[in-house]
Amino acid sequence: MSYLGACQSDRRRTVVKRLQHAYEISERRACRALRFPRASHRYKSVRDERTELRIRLRDLASTRVHYGYRRLHILLLRKGWKVNHKLVYRLYVEEGLQMRRKRPRRNRSCQVRVSRPKASRTNESWSMDFMADQLFDGKRFRLLTLVDNFSRESLAIQVGTRLTGDDVVAVLDRVKEDRGCPQSIRVDNGPEFISKSLDWWAYFNNVTLDFSRLGKPTDNAYIESFNGRVRQECLNQHWFLSLADAQEQVDQWRLDYNENRPHSSLGNQTPVEFATKSCPARRA
């Protein structure tokens, strides 16, 4: 029996009981008046209500507030639940966990930019950008975000009240020690990215700085998408007491993003899993 059919039967059972009580008639007469089989009226459902699965799904949805049912399904599979996505979707709807997202309006007359070639390996192309947020007392701070465009790994997120070109170089040097240098880095035309410090660093490390066109944030779509995830899943979910607290919370989220969060464009693998499978040298 379908979910809709079960709901209709439950309503008819309720009507039968009301007729019996209001007119003091037997169950047989009430069912005959409604043309509702007595066998259906007396039927007791033996369907498993999946109580434990519902509880686990609600717990995941409460901690991963921006995950849809597909990502929650992947997390359940990782925890050992042998369920398909259809069951997860049904329980997701019945528990009222649906996400409501405002869809952006698209302009049909907009001109589509010729896209850059996609990265084919790790460390071929990185993207870098700045974000802003505030502490509990309203004091503003900035974040420097850095991602690998192929594996979608978050390479670094640096927090500071005032981040200059020298700070950008310091972050790149730190990442360079672990991963080496990329062929190119996609950046916008901010003052930190056109500074002499970054220009000299790129020159001596044979790195090309790929600047976006003015007023075209979509030229650096990977970092814009990543910044959206940082905003939704980290910055909007925490109340920062200090810069040190903000750095700690951001680092914890970055670790979870790289190692646990399934990424739809990577075949629902985590960035670390995808990078490891795509680059055999990293398996060691």
Side-chain angles (χ1 to χ4, degrees):
M1 181 182 294
S2 66
Y3 176 69
L4 180 60
C7 292
Q8 292 176 345
S9 296
D10 289 340
R11 287 195 293 267
R12 296 177 75 177
R13 291 189 187 97
T14 302
V15 174
V16 168
K17 292 181 180 179
R18 289 179 179 176
L19 285 178
Q20 287 183 265
H21 178 73
Y23 296 98
E24 298 182 353
I25 59 177
S26 65
E27 173 190 301
R28 184 189 301 272
R29 293 190 62 184
C31 289
R32 184 185 303 168
L34 296 176
R35 297 182 180 180
F36 184 47
R38 292 175 64 199
S40 299
H41 179 258
R42 295 184 175 184
Y43 174 77
K44 302 296 182 181
S45 176
V46 296
R47 186 180 68 174
D48 185 2
E49 294 298 329
R50 306 277 186 171
T51 304
E52 294 183 2
L53 180 57
R54 289 175 187 269
I55 295 174
R56 184 57 180 161
L57 185 61
R58 286 198 300 267
D59 290 342
L60 288 175
S62 63
T63 56
R64 309 282 184 165
V65 293
H66 293 285
Y67 281 20
Y69 80 93
R70 291 189 180 277
R71 281 202 173 96
L72 294 177
H73 173 237
I74 295 171
L75 295 180
L76 287 172
L77 294 178
R78 291 179 180 176
K79 297 296 183 180
W81 292 88
K82 298 184 182 300
V83 292
N84 61 29
H85 69 280
K86 295 180 181 179
L87 174 60
V88 174
Y89 177 73
R90 178 171 65 82
L91 300 181
Y92 184 79
V93 173
E94 291 179 7
E95 295 297 322
L97 303 176
Q98 301 98 313
M99 297 170 57
R100 294 175 175 84
R101 292 182 177 178
K102 184 177 180 180
R103 300 290 182 179
R105 298 181 64 182
R106 303 300 181 187
N107 190 345
R108 292 186 179 182
S109 63
C110 67
Q111 184 176 2
V112 180
R113 177 183 185 270
V114 178
S115 60
R116 295 159 169 159
K118 293 184 178 181
S120 58
R121 57 181 176 82
T122 57
N123 279 10
E124 181 178 346
S125 175
W126 294 354
S127 289
M128 189 163 50
D129 197 11
F130 279 99
M131 302 180 65
D133 203 75
Q134 62 183 15
L135 302 177
F136 78 100
D137 57 0
K139 184 178 180 180
R140 303 281 294 178
F141 67 90
R142 305 182 73 195
L143 302 94
L144 172 66
T145 56
L146 180 66
V147 299
D148 187 298
N149 294 333
F150 177 72
S151 65
R152 308 297 201 274
E153 291 175 277
S154 174
L155 306 181
I157 303 179
Q158 182 64 41
V159 174
T161 54
R162 182 175 177 269
L163 297 175
T164 64
D166 292 336
D167 296 317
V168 174
V169 170
V171 171
L172 291 174
D173 279 334
R174 188 170 70 245
V175 177
K176 172 187 171 183
E177 294 179 359
D178 296 331
R179 300 177 61 98
C181 291
Q183 291 184 1
S184 65
I185 303 179
R186 299 181 185 180
V187 294
D188 59 23
N189 293 272
E192 301 83 5
F193 299 143
I194 62 176
S195 65
K196 291 183 178 179
S197 299
L198 182 59
D199 182 55
W200 278 107
W201 182 90
Y203 176 78
F204 283 113
N205 289 280
N206 296 318
V207 175
T208 301
L209 295 179
D210 187 0
F211 290 95
S212 302
R213 296 174 296 172
L214 293 176
K216 298 290 184 180
T218 54
D219 286 358
N220 205 353
Y222 292 123
I223 195 69
E224 294 293 339
S225 176
F226 174 76
N227 287 350
R229 303 287 80 75
V230 176
R231 179 72 63 187
Q232 286 184 340
E233 300 175 11
C234 182
L235 300 184
N236 290 348
Q237 302 301 317
H238 296 286
W239 193 252
F240 304 116
L241 302 178
S242 64
L243 289 179
D245 179 47
Q247 187 68 69
E248 181 181 358
Q249 296 288 349
V250 167
D251 287 340
Q252 291 178 1
W253 179 87
R254 189 175 71 87
L255 183 65
D256 181 71
Y257 175 89
N258 285 334
E259 298 183 356
N260 297 316
R261 185 186 188 277
H263 205 296
S264 57
S265 64
L266 303 179
N268 290 322
Q269 301 178 82
T270 66
V272 170
E273 288 175 345
F274 181 78
T276 302
K277 293 179 181 179
S278 302
C279 183
R282 294 187 54 171
R283 299 178 185 176

